[in-house]
Amino acid sequence: MHSDPSGHAAPVRRISVIQGEHAVSTDAGAVMSTVLGSCVAACVYDEARGVGGMNHFLLSESATGARIEEEAMRYGAYAMEVLINDLMKLGASRAGLKCKLFGGAKMFDSLNDVGAANAAFARRFMADEGIEVVGASLGGRSARRIEFWPASGRVRQREVEQAPEAVVAPKRAPPPPATGGVELF
Amino acid sequence: MPAAANLHVLIVDDQQTMRSLVRTGLNQIGITNTREAPDGEEGLRAILQRSAHLVICDYNMPKLDGLGLLRAIRSHPPIKSTAFIMLTGRADRDLVARAAQFGVNNYLVKPFTVQTLREKIEQVFGALE
């Protein structure tokens, strides 16, 4: 519960953002939450207009064998675009947008570090689009639970034992781990 | 059969990343003569300044959106026959029908592959050399 200016408790509206989806809101009482492993979530907001939104995307190596960087560009750009478009429909100013990035962990001992590719894409996208990244927690080996207050841009992060996507086996068997578990990133 | 290298394409999108993706895709199919604009107003200015064979334009943009640019192009006699491909998101597909009323030549749903980009262009111009 949070308090409105008059001191009355107002109900918190919880919005769960699952993989492949996004949400936007102007509700000061809304909290968006998600759990990330190698996925990345961009929390983008315009504090002055009280508008914010979160996406949650996982960009994996495609079945056609396309390089993950290319996949990240293609699908990641779209995931970002729909979020930004919806923020602007709610009154956000493009110039006033700021961003916080989370996720991109290395959840499997495989040669392809999908999390790193996702994180690199997200950073590059924000730089290319001129959206300031004011906070980020990317990479590592732990899953994260993120709570985002879209109207203010506030974020709370907790490390969690295991992300949902870590439980689901990848579509393609990961290559055998490098000898001695050498980390490439 | 048009030569890809001879096609002049104007890419209009408010996201630099998306313009870059389209430009890279065009380059991969041999179309290297491209210009870019960040919104419909700039796009209209650019094409009035120098004509193009094809405009590839996002639907959702600030200032003048894709539909607005299409209508403006179709109402300017010197450039009204410019081919126009609209970039849309999945949720925008119903808007393609409106764009068709204003003479859109084709549409491309994001995210798209280079092969799809080529097919959409070939549906407008015929097979590319």
Side-chain angles (χ1 to χ4, degrees):
Chain A
M1 303 285 272
H2 75 286
S3 295
D4 64 21
S6 64
H8 293 106
V12 171
R13 192 165 71 90
R14 295 203 167 271
I15 303 167
S16 179
V17 180
I18 61 171
Q19 185 183 314
E21 295 191 350
H22 74 283
V24 294
S25 179
T26 56
D27 183 352
V31 182
M32 296 176 181
S33 63
T34 197
V35 179
L36 303 163
S38 49
C39 294
V40 164
C43 301
V44 184
Y45 61 100
D46 179 345
E47 193 175 359
R49 308 272 173 99
V51 184
M54 173 197 274
N55 63 13
H56 175 161
F57 57 90
L58 173 65
L59 311 162
S60 59
E61 188 176 18
S62 77
T64 58
R67 292 166 59 233
I68 51 177
E69 290 83 1
E70 291 175 1
E71 291 294 290
M73 280 293 285
R74 230 154 41 85
Y75 290 98
Y78 179 70
M80 294 296 189
E81 181 180 24
V82 292
L83 172 61
I84 292 169
N85 283 345
D86 283 355
L87 288 171
M88 292 175 70
K89 282 176 193 166
L90 283 184
S93 153
R94 186 76 160 75
L97 292 180
K98 291 181 179 175
C99 177
K100 296 177 181 176
L101 298 171
F102 301 91
K106 186 174 172 65
M107 303 302 293
F108 301 101
D109 281 325
S110 68
L111 291 176
N112 286 330
D113 192 342
V114 174
N118 290 341
F121 161 76
R123 282 198 180 277
R124 189 168 67 241
F125 178 91
M126 294 302 166
D128 287 348
E129 300 299 332
I131 298 172
E132 184 184 3
V133 177
V134 294
S137 175
L138 295 164
R141 306 278 306 197
S142 300
R144 299 164 166 91
R145 179 175 176 80
I146 304 298
E147 289 181 298
F148 171 56
W149 283 257
S152 68
R154 178 187 162 212
V155 174
R156 183 162 63 194
Q157 170 185 281
R158 272 191 300 127
E159 289 192 356
V160 296
E161 289 293 314
Q162 200 170 34
E165 73 248 34
V167 179
V168 180
K171 286 177 186 169
R172 302 171 66 196
T179 308
V182 175
E183 290 289 333
L184 299 181
F185 295 90
Chain B
M1 186 182 294
N6 292 337
L7 283 180
H8 295 208
V9 180
L10 175 65
I11 304 161
V12 188
D13 198 305
D14 57 325
Q15 291 202 39
Q16 195 273 334
T17 308
M18 200 56 76
R19 296 199 301 273
S20 170
L21 274 173
V22 175
R23 184 182 65 244
T24 304
L26 290 172
N27 290 346
Q28 285 179 25
I29 59 179
I31 298 173
T32 54
N33 202 336
T34 63
R35 286 180 291 153
E36 297 174 24
D39 59 58
E41 283 183 6
E42 291 290 328
L44 183 59
R45 248 191 297 275
I47 199 167
L48 285 171
Q49 217 164 47
R50 185 155 65 91
S51 64
H53 297 112
L54 170 65
V55 175
I56 298 178
C57 179
D58 187 28
Y59 185 89
N60 280 303
M61 291 185 296
K63 299 181 184 173
L64 189 65
D65 67 12
L67 198 58
L69 178 59
L70 172 63
R71 294 177 68 174
I73 286 175
R74 292 290 180 258
S75 65
H76 279 72
I79 55 170
K80 72 176 186 182
S81 57
T82 307
F84 197 107
I85 293 177
M86 189 82 81
L87 291 170
T88 76
R90 291 189 192 105
D92 297 328
R93 290 189 78 154
D94 58 326
L95 298 173
V96 171
R98 287 173 58 206
Q101 291 176 346
F102 297 109
V104 77
N105 296 87
N106 215 332
Y107 68 94
L108 193 53
V109 179
K110 292 184 277 190
F112 54 85
T113 62
V114 174
Q115 180 57 32
T116 307
L117 175 65
R118 182 188 187 103
E119 286 168 8
K120 294 289 183 177
I121 293 171
E122 289 187 331
Q123 285 167 13
V124 176
F125 291 99
L128 296 172
E129 283 177 351

